[in-house]
Amino acid sequence: MTDYRIGIDVGGTNTDAVVMDGDDNLLAKTKTPTTEDITSGILNALDVVLDDSGVSEDELDYVMLGTTHATNAITERRGLNEVGVIRIGAPATQSIRPLLEWPDDLAAAVGNNVAILDGGHEFDGRLLNDLDEEQVRAQIREFSDVDAFAVTSVFSPVRDDHETRVAELIREEVGDDVPISVSNEIGSVGLLERENATALNAALTSVASEAANAFVEAMDERGIDANLYFGQNDGTLMSVDYAIRYPIFTVASGPSNSVRGAAYLSQVENGIIVDVGGTTTDVGAVTEGFPRESSVAVEIGEVKTNFRMPDIIAIGIGGGSIVSTDGGVTVGPQSVGYKLTEEARCFGGETLTATDLEVAAGTIDIGSETPAVDADIVEAAREYVRERVEREVDRMKTSADPVPVVIVGGGSILVPDDIAGASEVHKPDHYEVANAVGVAIAQVSGEVDRIYSLDEMDREGAIQHAKDEATDNALAAGADPDSVDIVDIEEVPLSYLPGNAVRIKVKAAGALDH
Amino acid sequence: MTVEIGVEEIEDIALGATVLGTGGGGDPHVGKLVAKQAIEEFGPVELVSPDELDAEDFVVPTAQMGAPTVSVEKLPSGREAVTSMERVERELGKTADATMPIECGGINSTFPFAVAARRGLPVVDADGMGRAFPELQHETFNIYGVSGTPAAVSDERGNTCLIETDDNDQLEWLARGVTVRMGGVGYVSDYPMTGAQVKETAIPGTMSLARDLGRALRVAEDDAMDAVREVTRESIYGEARSLFEGKIVDVQRRTERGFVFGHVDIDGLDEDAESEMRIEFQNENLGATVDGSYVATVPDLITVLDRETGGPIPTESLRYGARVRVLGIRTPEIMRTPAALDVWGPGSFGLDATYEPLADLP
């Protein structure tokens, strides 16, 4: 079997696509403009690479998609579900109501339906309060108009009984059609951040299912009968069903795909990745081939969350960045973005962009004309970019030792080859479509992040439990049972708590199930 | 003069408390949200200066204590500290005229405002640490002879435990044990005292200082340092000075007895280019050396700011590569007496240093 695959990454400016064969050879690639409806841009890219590669629709086995539907929906407050946000933990937690810290327009967009009901557990799994099923049923009936439910119970990463039971009660009261997000499947300890992430996830399920359906229909129209997957924040894939249930896990898939793709193209398993796009440059780190996770709360739509997100720093420098020469030369953060081909001087426009400088210097040849730019300005702008990139690369490092740096993305030419603190600098072939390569080569994974009390279970038992659950999660996401491996185990003793509490994080990953 | 503390002032106090927290004191986020919701529900809180108290006024401080992991998950009901305060009132047969923070860094700087809003009481513009410290005996109240008890610890179920002891170290020990049984976090009312005792033992003006620092940092567009300097110049603390500027090159941490111990190494930039600073910490920053010699130690404040944004960086967020400015602020006289230094001088934290107050700027 040839296992032809298409990887597609939808970015703010460009939609990139690649065709790869079963041995991960790249057969065709393209960069096409992202369209407002997203789907037609995806189809444009798809048509180009199928045409160039000579691979026919019915030879395709897999289509992998990295998309920004969910991110855009949050930023623009568009298409969000009305959510019934149920917190289980009273009498505790009443001093901070759900959504208190959300921006008013975002809270309004999800309907501001919140309730704090009896129940929850202590850190060691003891009962905090009994779940009052009649109270829960009454609340569900009061939320009869909502499109989705988000359920968060105190210390559910330790014991999820109450969340599971509330989900059952919702099913009994309103049937199987209303999506339910439960917090222990979304985030970790930190009630507000986990509840925020769960509520955002619940708000996104309609957007996600519309996007997935549009994608599936488009594939059907093209006569493509391939397995469809979505890229997720940790650089792995999930099935369409999973993506509809957990859309929040797609919000950072773009930068993660770039990190994975850059690591694959350069064969650098550990190092720093610099992805230079049209408007911004993302700097991230790759550890054993996977994007390094952020250790602090990540804000999405100005809301603090705590689920797995890549550790990425964005700088306002890209190919479309506007160059200013008023008092010292600066580059960005203002950008012409997707209007590069209209507004940049090399395309006959009026605006001096970072791309124009390289055209003027003769390092690249795009556009209709060669703008005349003073060599001193080119030099000063390059130094400006170098300094900014070097600083962020340094921030992503964990020690002073030099590390490999991989530069990818359409604007790679802007970054010099000699970066301070780098042991070696790679600009691999196909650098401009690293994100699409990243999603095309991705594995599927499952993760667990839980607190175990070692008074109830021995350490080996706890780790085995976490491994089994991570493996189950990987299988549920579509991994081939024969290829699933545990790729990461992290154990954090919580020594300031009695009862030998330990936090165990396990990740399992495997190849796509054929 | 009556000063009202509303939602915006709570934001400023929480931010200013991260400067006074000297890297520790716990994430003020939860305390801030609890106070904001209480003020929205019950109305703004009056902040009164210790000078305005009558000698016989009855002041009952309130605070949260326990494990940070629990306090961000099992959030309070909001009633707990009120329950503790009521238990202490009942024990002494008196009704509180005000509450007061026991520390001005981290979560406990804002938490008493929620209690005050609920009870309709003012908050005294003072505290017992003048910064953040790890334990309940690290209090000027303790140092200058106020009994920590009767104290009460309560949980969200309404359970209350009354503690009586004539040894304030025992108060910390017993209360800490009770919080474990309460699920890792408890809400305490301790060091009940008269207005006269507040005037003698509390560090005055620290809440308004936190508010002014927070506001200055919020509105400072260019130089956060100038803003902090200006606010501290008018306070009983020394004028803030820049001790060092540089890049973090190493961070070491270890957890022992429930505390995070460690140090951070900073390579100098610009004027400090030839030097290296090390800051030792135990939850809070304890001492700073430049090329091996101490330039600041507890109880003086050592706070690490982001060099670009001016935002204070807590010890748990220090990481390699960050560009920082290290700030030193001399603590007021009341925190530097021989009796105070016995409790929180460099020696009490195991530093091999003699306390030298940070000098005034030339």
Side-chain angles (χ1 to χ4, degrees):
Chain A
M1 196 156 111
T2 46
D3 279 359
Y4 287 120
R5 281 167 295 149
I6 287 197
I8 303 169
D9 184 272
V10 184
T13 314
N14 287 310
T15 296
D16 301 346
V18 297
V19 178
M20 300 183 83
D21 68 16
D23 299 321
D24 290 344
N25 298 307
L26 189 146
L27 305 180
K29 58 183 174 182
T30 188
K31 251 183 147 47
T32 56
T34 296
T35 54
E36 201 169 338
D37 70 340
I38 296 181
T39 307
S40 60
I42 291 173
L43 290 176
N44 293 341
L46 189 76
D47 292 342
V48 173
V49 285
L50 283 179
D51 208 35
D52 287 356
S53 64
V55 173
S56 70
E57 281 84 351
D58 53 14
E59 286 179 293
L60 277 179
D61 294 303
Y62 303 103
V63 178
M64 287 89 160
L65 183 66
T67 159
T68 53
H69 282 95
T71 324
N72 295 349
I74 296 173
T75 321
E76 296 160 18
R77 282 92 165 106
R78 191 158 43 88
L80 298 176
N81 285 330
E82 189 152 317
V83 180
V85 182
I86 296 180
R87 183 196 292 166
I88 305 295
T93 82
Q94 289 167 316
S95 59
I96 305 175
R97 66 173 181 276
L99 315 189
L100 175 68
E101 53 188 325
W102 285 36
D104 291 344
D105 59 342
L106 187 59
V110 301
N112 238 330
N113 309 294
V114 303
I116 305 174
L117 308 179
D118 292 355
H121 291 86
E122 302 280 5
F123 70 87
D124 53 7
R126 276 183 295 148
L127 196 66
L128 168 61
N129 195 3
D130 287 311
L131 189 69
D132 178 344
E133 299 204 354
E134 279 318 304
Q135 187 192 32
V136 175
R137 285 183 194 276
Q139 189 62 57
I140 296 166
R141 288 194 285 267
E142 195 173 309
F143 285 159
S144 59
D145 291 338
V146 303
D147 307 307
F149 284 91
V151 184
T152 307
S153 138
V154 170
F155 277 112
S156 66
V158 178
R159 277 192 90 135
D160 57 13
D161 316 17
H162 286 181
E163 285 184 3
T164 308
R165 184 62 191 143
V166 171
E168 286 168 7
L169 294 172
I170 294 171
R171 286 274 160 266
E172 287 177 25
E173 291 292 330
V174 301
D176 291 337
D177 296 334
V178 178
I180 304 168
S181 301
V182 290
S183 81
N184 72 83
E185 295 179 357
I186 308 270
S188 183
V189 172
L191 184 81
L192 295 173
E193 289 83 1
R194 189 172 74 252
E195 180 177 73
N196 290 342
T198 309
L200 284 175
N201 189 69
L204 288 167
T205 53
S206 295
V207 168
S209 96
E210 279 163 28
N213 289 338
F215 185 48
V216 169
E217 277 170 29
M219 294 299 117
D220 283 348
E221 274 173 34
R222 287 290 191 282
I224 296 172
D225 179 27
N227 294 302
L228 305 180
Y229 291 94
F230 283 84
Q232 59 177 333
N233 302 338
D234 66 354
T236 63
L237 298 172
M238 51 186 169
S239 64
V240 175
D241 289 347
Y242 195 88
I244 292 172
R245 276 169 56 206
Y246 304 102
I248 196 77
F249 292 155
T250 67
V251 295
S253 60
S256 291
N257 290 339
S258 293
V259 169
R260 287 274 296 159
Y264 171 74
L265 291 171
S266 61
Q267 297 298 305
V268 169
E269 290 273 292
N270 295 285
I272 306 293
I273 310 296
V274 179
D275 179 12
V276 190
T279 302
T280 58
T281 293
D282 289 338
V283 183
V286 60
T287 307
E288 303 301 329
F290 283 94
R292 185 171 78 208
E293 278 181 33
S294 173
S295 58
V296 297
V298 176
E299 286 197 4
I300 297 173
E302 297 169 62
V303 172
K304 271 191 175 189
T305 63
N306 68 351
F307 59 95
R308 56 197 193 217
M309 287 284 277
D311 194 359
I312 300 284
I313 301 174
I315 328 173
I317 291 176
S321 290
I322 296 171
V323 178
S324 161
T325 53
D326 298 346
V329 175
T330 59
V331 183
Q334 277 75 40
S335 166
V336 297
Y338 66 92
K339 291 185 176 161
L340 185 75
T341 54
E342 295 163 33
E343 296 188 359
R345 287 208 198 156
C346 61
F347 288 97
E350 298 288 311
T351 310
L352 185 64
T353 67
T355 302
D356 293 319
L357 302 186
E358 295 303 327
V359 175
T363 50
I364 47 170
D365 180 19
I366 60 166
S368 50
E369 46 202 271
T370 306
V373 185
D374 195 6
D376 290 349
I377 292 177
V378 173
E379 210 37 54
R382 282 177 173 169
E383 270 316 300
Y384 181 86
V385 172
R386 171 204 293 279
E387 198 187 300
R388 297 290 308 276
V389 170
E390 282 180 347
R391 183 184 306 179
E392 302 312 326
V393 165
D394 196 36
R395 280 165 88 116
M396 289 308 287
K397 289 162 66 172
T398 52
S399 78
D401 299 333
V403 293
V405 173
V406 185
I407 300 165
V408 294
S412 294
I413 188 74
L414 302 181
V415 180
D417 290 340
D418 52 334
I419 290 183
S423 58
E424 50 196 283
V425 174
H426 299 260
K427 282 186 184 169
D429 286 348
H430 313 307
Y431 63 85
E432 76 281 14
V433 289
N435 44 10
V437 171
V439 72
I441 56 144
Q443 295 180 304
V444 280
S445 74
E447 214 177 50
V448 165
D449 182 351
R450 272 187 186 285
I451 293 178
Y452 291 90
S453 167
L454 298 187
D455 284 353
E456 292 177 5
M457 197 186 274
D458 65 8
R459 182 173 162 276
E460 284 71 28
I463 290 176
Q464 192 57 48
H465 183 271
K467 281 179 171 177
D468 291 346
E469 202 169 318
T471 304
D472 286 347
N473 289 347
L475 295 178
D480 171 11
D482 295 332
S483 73
V484 175
D485 273 329
I486 302 296
V487 294
D488 192 28
I489 298 181
E490 198 185 322
E491 198 182 337
V492 189
L494 304 177
S495 52
Y496 39 79
L497 291 175
N500 270 323
V502 64
R503 180 175 175 184
I504 299 176
K505 293 169 78 172
V506 176
K507 182 186 209 157
L512 287 165
D513 197 0
H514 288 235
Chain B
M1 192 187 74
T2 305
V3 178
E4 265 196 5
I5 301 297
V7 168
E8 190 171 305
E9 288 77 17
I10 289 293
E11 288 277 355
D12 289 340
I13 290 173
L15 179 56
T18 56
V19 175
L20 299 174
T22 70
D27 182 354
H29 190 64
V30 166
K32 177 178 87 179
L33 292 178
V34 170
K36 281 173 82 169
Q37 178 165 319
I39 286 172
E40 276 178 24
E41 195 173 342
F42 300 100
V45 170
E46 197 186 329
L47 186 67
V48 297
S49 146
D51 298 341
E52 297 171 70
L53 295 174
D54 291 333
E56 302 76 34
D57 277 349
F58 182 44
V59 177
V60 185
T62 44
Q64 181 205 63
M65 66 185 293
T69 315
V70 176
S71 67
V72 297
E73 176 70 25
K74 190 175 74 166
L75 306 173
S77 76
R79 273 284 309 167
E80 298 92 337
V82 176
T83 308
S84 291
M85 180 185 259
E86 287 168 354
R87 185 66 191 86
V88 170
E89 288 176 320
R90 183 148 54 91
E91 190 63 22
L92 294 174
K94 295 198 275 187
T95 305
D97 297 299
T99 187
M100 179 167 64
I102 61 166
E103 78 184 298
C104 63
I107 177 170
N108 279 324
S109 57
T110 44
F111 194 73
F113 289 90
V115 178
R118 257 172 201 278
R119 279 286 304 262
L121 294 174
V123 169
V124 180
D125 186 3
D127 79 297
M129 287 188 182
R131 47 172 290 159
F133 276 120
E135 299 183 41
L136 288 186
Q137 73 273 19
H138 292 135
E139 291 287 338
T140 46
F141 312 145
N142 173 37
I143 293 163
Y144 300 114
V146 179
S147 170
T149 62
V153 190
S154 304
D155 68 11
E156 66 285 340
R157 301 170 177 87
N159 298 323
T160 303
C161 194
L162 186 80
I163 298 174
E164 276 281 15
T165 168
D166 52 14
D167 176 349
N168 291 339
D169 288 355
Q170 283 291 306
L171 165 62
E172 157 73 24
W173 173 252
L174 295 169
R176 194 78 47 190
V178 171
T179 65
V180 167
R181 286 295 156 101
M182 288 179 167
V185 62
Y187 297 81
V188 61
S189 220
D190 59 0
Y191 294 99
M193 66 182 95
T194 63
Q197 285 175 306
V198 172
K199 292 176 203 213
E200 278 165 30
T201 69
I203 303 146
T206 49
M207 288 299 109
S208 47
L209 175 62
R211 179 200 58 201
D212 294 346
L213 282 172
R215 185 191 298 157
L217 285 174
R218 180 162 56 84
V219 301
E221 282 180 359
D222 296 323
D223 198 346
M225 187 62 210
D226 276 351
V228 171
R229 198 174 275 159
E230 203 167 308
V231 171
T232 47
R233 194 182 301 142
E234 305 298 321
S235 76
I236 58 170
Y237 289 65
E239 181 178 334
R241 48 187 298 179
S242 179
L243 297 176
F244 201 75
E245 285 184 71
K247 185 186 99 168
I248 295 179
V249 290
D250 191 31
V251 187
Q252 298 289 333
R253 294 187 184 87
R254 63 183 196 284
T255 305
E256 271 173 38
R257 295 182 288 119
F259 299 112
V260 181
F261 292 83
H263 64 255
V264 53
D265 289 334
I266 306 167
D267 260 358
L269 290 168
D270 300 341
E271 278 179 27
D272 297 311
E274 300 304 311
S275 299
E276 187 174 324
M277 172 175 269
R278 169 170 289 192
I279 301 174
E280 293 158 279
F281 52 80
Q282 174 189 340
N283 292 12
E284 287 81 30
N285 299 324
L286 299 177
T289 57
V290 171
D291 300 330
S293 309
Y294 278 100
V295 295
T297 67
V298 277
D300 285 352
L301 275 50
I302 301 163
T303 295
V304 181
L305 303 181
D306 183 306
R307 201 170 177 228
E308 280 156 44
T309 67
I313 309 178
T315 50
E316 69 261 25
S317 305
L318 295 170
R319 59 186 255 184
Y320 173 87
R323 265 70 175 171
V324 299
R325 182 202 293 271
V326 181
L327 210 67
I329 302 176
R330 187 183 65 229
T331 43
E333 185 65 40
I334 188 172
M335 296 175 66
R336 303 187 263 127
T337 63
L341 294 176
D342 269 353
V343 174
W344 57 40
S348 65
F349 290 98
L351 297 191
D352 185 18
T354 311
Y355 173 68
E356 290 282 347
L358 277 165
D360 279 321
L361 287 169

